[in-house]
Amino acid sequence: MEFREIEECGTVRRRWEDMDIDILVKIFQSLTVFELTSGIAHVCSSWRLAACDPFLWRTLDLSMLKSNFIKIPLEPYVYVHGHSDKTLTRFLKISLSLSRGNITSLFFHFNLYVSEDHLTYTAQRCPRLKRLVLPAWNRVETVMIKAIELWKDLESLTMPSIVNSPRLVQAIATNCRKFSELKIMGPFDIYFASSLVTYLPTLKVLSLRCSMLYKDTLIFVLDNLCCLEVLNISHCLLIEVPPPPAPRRIVRQLDKTILEKASHLHDFLACMSDTCIMCQKTRNDEGLMRWYKYDEGLWKEDEGFPLIKKKRGHNHHLDKLGWHLATTGLTRSLLDR
């Protein structure tokens, strides 16, 4: 393997392994994770050194890797094709070997069926992880606490709704001193909200986008998470439970009480429009978004980078309050009454 170098005296032939490492890293930067793990590290020692450069492994994005699965009526309620698990295992082993513990952001596809062994293996080899986006289901619930104990630098987590939320939230509070951002994919009830108030009172960013949310729980969060700066309830199925015998109802417009309680937020993102396609889908799914039915890019709308950085940009500074309220019929006059 040779490349040509032009000098004053003419053309000189040199081998690829003699190329400057920084140039190789720059070239490898244009490759996908699938190309980086396809064998280029085995070409020669220089290529392997370049392929292990920390600059290439700050983020491991596996959001293009999906599982082949079939839903079944009995436990474990899903059958995952063995080839999918083997493919994920291969990518993790090669990627985490090349990264040499330098990964700080890790993204899984919402429909990637990550096993407990996969998560344990990953946690042990990503000690510097700061940002984690898990799949939209809880196959790894039983080992999440052990993984959290290894991620002392974790700042941001996207996760499905789980049964035993207080234990996980307590583990985050105990082990992750810099934790500030949380996104829940699934129902968010008063039980979950109470655990956040108890163990993570300094939480700065909370995204409940496309989840089922009770009005009382929303008010509880606004009243008790005093350090909260960003709250995203876009496309949520907001439910109000009035005193009996009145049935519960879907809230289609934020009232003055909620707006006043949210006035301290830097960004408050809400969309509850009857004409919004995503709002319609959340209602049709009764607050349990079946993401596999929808466009690939929708689930990752606020996953590309930490949410806290969005508030420091320009996307949501829409008025002096910095609010983005897309609720039907809502006007600033409501705030002034």
Side-chain angles (χ1 to χ4, degrees):
M1 297 178 63
E2 297 178 340
F3 68 94
R4 295 185 178 183
E5 185 179 80
I6 307 299
E7 295 186 349
E8 293 182 1
C9 57
T11 302
V12 178
R13 292 180 180 273
R14 297 178 60 190
R15 296 181 63 81
W16 278 103
E17 60 262 34
D18 297 327
M19 180 178 284
D20 186 274
I21 294 296
D22 291 339
I23 297 177
L24 281 173
V25 172
K26 187 66 175 179
I27 294 172
F28 291 169
Q29 187 182 352
S30 64
L31 303 179
T32 67
V33 63
F34 305 106
E35 293 168 332
L36 280 173
T37 57
S38 63
I40 63 173
H42 299 295
V43 171
C44 63
S45 58
S46 296
W47 280 42
R48 181 167 185 82
L49 184 61
C52 293
D53 190 277
F55 187 77
L56 299 175
W57 295 105
R58 293 174 183 171
T59 298
L60 178 57
D61 189 348
L62 298 178
S63 62
M64 299 302 293
L65 190 63
K66 298 183 290 184
S67 297
N68 293 322
F69 65 93
I70 300 174
K71 290 188 176 295
I72 56 179
L74 302 176
E75 290 189 5
Y77 304 112
V78 65
Y79 169 77
V80 182
H81 195 283
H83 178 71
S84 296
D85 276 341
K86 290 180 180 178
T87 299
L88 177 57
T89 299
R90 173 183 172 274
F91 273 114
L92 286 176
K93 285 187 175 181
I94 298 175
S95 299
L96 299 182
S97 174
L98 294 175
S99 69
R100 296 180 177 178
N102 288 303
I103 294 173
T104 57
S105 297
L106 175 59
F107 300 89
F108 289 111
H109 191 277
F110 67 91
N111 252 355
L112 184 63
Y113 285 77
V114 179
S115 69
E116 294 183 354
D117 289 341
H118 288 144
L119 188 65
T120 300
Y121 184 86
T122 301
Q124 293 171 345
R125 288 158 181 80
C126 294
R128 302 179 184 177
L129 199 66
K130 295 181 179 180
R131 169 76 170 150
L132 175 63
V133 177
L134 288 171
W137 71 308
N138 58 5
R139 186 182 182 186
V140 295
E141 180 175 338
T142 57
V143 299
M144 268 299 295
I145 293 178
K146 292 183 179 179
I148 290 295
E149 292 174 352
L150 300 176
W151 288 323
K152 305 297 184 181
D153 296 328
L154 191 67
E155 299 176 6
S156 178
L157 174 64
T158 296
M159 57 172 283
S161 182
I162 64 172
V163 175
N164 198 354
S165 56
R167 283 193 62 205
L168 177 60
V169 174
Q170 184 177 12
I172 293 174
T174 302
N175 297 281
C176 311
R177 298 299 183 181
K178 299 179 182 179
F179 193 84
S180 60
E181 304 170 3
L182 180 64
K183 176 177 178 179
I184 309 298
M185 294 184 291
F188 183 76
D189 55 20
I190 192 65
Y191 187 57
F192 207 147
S194 298
S195 64
L196 293 185
V197 170
T198 302
Y199 299 113
L200 293 175
T202 60
L203 190 69
K204 294 182 179 179
V205 180
L206 178 61
S207 176
L208 307 173
R209 177 176 171 268
C210 300
S211 299
M212 183 169 67
L213 174 64
Y214 285 92
K215 181 179 177 181
D216 289 346
T217 302
L218 174 59
I219 293 175
F220 178 80
V221 166
L222 292 172
D223 282 341
N224 293 280
L225 285 179
C226 300
C227 295
L228 201 64
E229 298 178 13
V230 180
L231 177 60
N232 187 353
I233 61 168
S234 299
H235 321 304
C236 278
L237 181 65
L238 188 60
I239 304 295
E240 181 176 18
V241 183
R248 73 177 193 172
R249 66 182 184 87
I250 297 176
V251 178
R252 299 184 181 273
Q253 181 174 318
L254 299 180
D255 58 30
K256 186 178 180 180
T257 299
I258 293 177
L259 296 177
E260 288 177 345
K261 290 180 179 295
S263 61
H264 70 282
L265 298 174
H266 188 290
D267 277 339
F268 182 37
L269 294 89
C271 179
M272 300 162 60
S273 172
D274 289 335
T275 59
C276 173
I277 294 177
M278 287 302 295
C279 289
Q280 293 173 9
K281 289 179 176 179
T282 308
R283 292 168 187 168
N284 291 338
D285 288 338
E286 297 181 337
L288 294 171
M289 289 295 284
R290 293 165 176 81
W291 289 106
Y292 60 89
K293 294 182 178 180
Y294 309 133
D295 296 337
E296 284 292 316
L298 291 176
W299 75 281
K300 203 177 177 185
E301 184 174 302
D302 54 1
E303 310 301 353
F305 52 91
L307 294 171
I308 194 70
K309 292 183 179 179
K310 278 195 171 184
K311 81 176 185 64
R312 294 172 184 155
H314 302 286
N315 291 339
H316 301 308
H317 293 275
L318 300 181
D319 58 26
K320 64 180 180 181
L321 292 176
W323 290 6
H324 178 192
L325 300 174
T327 51
T328 303
L330 181 65
T331 65
R332 288 303 303 271
S333 61
L334 180 59
L335 297 174
D336 300 329
R337 291 176 189 172

